[in-house]
Amino acid sequence: MIFDDIDKKLLEYLQIDSKQTNKELSNKLNLSVTAVYERIKKLEKEGFINSYVALVNKDHVEKSFVAFCHIKLIQHAQEYVVKFEKEVANLPEVLECYHISGDYDYLLKVLVKDMAAFREFLVKKLTSINHIGSTHSMFVINEVKHSTAINFNS
């Protein structure tokens, strides 16, 4: 598949508002509605577009307390890694989990209602996972920038 500048522009528009109609996109891109439809289908089929989602305002659903947790496993044995990843993937409070390099093994982004809810999550859920050696948590004071869009110009 050839991924050209029009595809990049189309993805930029879809990242801004995926509910735009093909007619609106065709006007912006100077393409026919059919050409836009075919390009979107091609981008979906080739895996450039994974899914379409609604971005929910966390304040409106009382989930505005954001914490980042560093996790260190007691060992790097494959069974510990696999078990930890499987268990943390099932925690609804964890929005993101990354296996990272450095002093810690994992970085989690956790979203809950407040500090009390975070403590309950930490004590009852996270630290109940076997093979965790240590945790280090940081709390968001202010969200300076949050984007879900990938920039193609840099």
Side-chain angles (χ1 to χ4, degrees):
M1 176 189 149
I2 298 171
F3 182 64
D4 62 18
D5 288 340
I6 294 172
D7 291 322
K8 290 177 184 176
K9 201 69 182 161
L10 178 55
L11 286 176
E12 287 175 5
Y13 289 138
L14 288 172
Q15 287 182 107
I16 292 167
D17 180 7
S18 66
K19 290 185 75 173
Q20 294 177 77
T21 65
N22 289 346
K23 175 77 172 149
E24 291 170 315
L25 292 166
S26 72
N27 288 336
K28 291 177 181 178
L29 294 167
N30 263 351
L31 295 173
S32 70
V33 174
T34 303
V36 168
Y37 174 82
E38 289 173 354
R39 280 181 180 264
I40 290 172
K41 289 299 169 197
K42 176 184 71 168
L43 291 167
E44 291 170 348
K45 182 178 179 241
E46 295 294 325
F48 286 86
I49 298 173
N50 290 331
S51 64
Y52 298 91
V53 299
L55 300 176
V56 177
N57 183 325
K58 62 185 177 298
D59 296 326
H60 283 61
V61 294
E62 296 185 341
K63 299 282 185 181
S64 58
F65 190 86
V66 181
F68 289 93
C69 301
H70 285 108
I71 307 292
K72 189 181 291 188
L73 299 181
I74 56 173
Q75 264 187 7
H76 294 114
Q78 182 180 357
E79 68 177 283
Y80 292 0
V81 168
V82 170
K83 188 171 180 354
F84 172 80
E85 290 179 0
K86 184 178 180 184
E87 289 188 40
V88 82
N90 289 320
L91 298 174
E93 297 88 350
V94 177
L95 288 162
E96 300 172 39
C97 175
Y98 301 97
H99 194 172
I100 59 173
S101 64
D103 292 337
Y104 290 91
D105 300 313
Y106 291 91
L107 176 63
L108 311 181
K109 181 178 180 181
V110 178
L111 193 65
V112 292
K113 181 179 180 179
D114 53 23
M115 179 62 88
F118 179 75
R119 184 182 187 285
E120 184 169 323
F121 163 77
L122 191 65
V123 171
K124 292 186 177 176
K125 293 185 177 182
L126 188 62
T127 56
S128 70
I129 296 175
N130 291 330
H131 316 303
I132 291 179
S134 64
T135 65
H136 175 83
S137 300
M138 298 168 289
F139 311 109
V140 172
I141 295 168
N142 183 39
E143 186 175 280
V144 177
K145 178 181 180 181
H146 177 198
S147 178
T148 60
I150 295 172
N151 185 322
F152 298 103
N153 297 321
S154 57

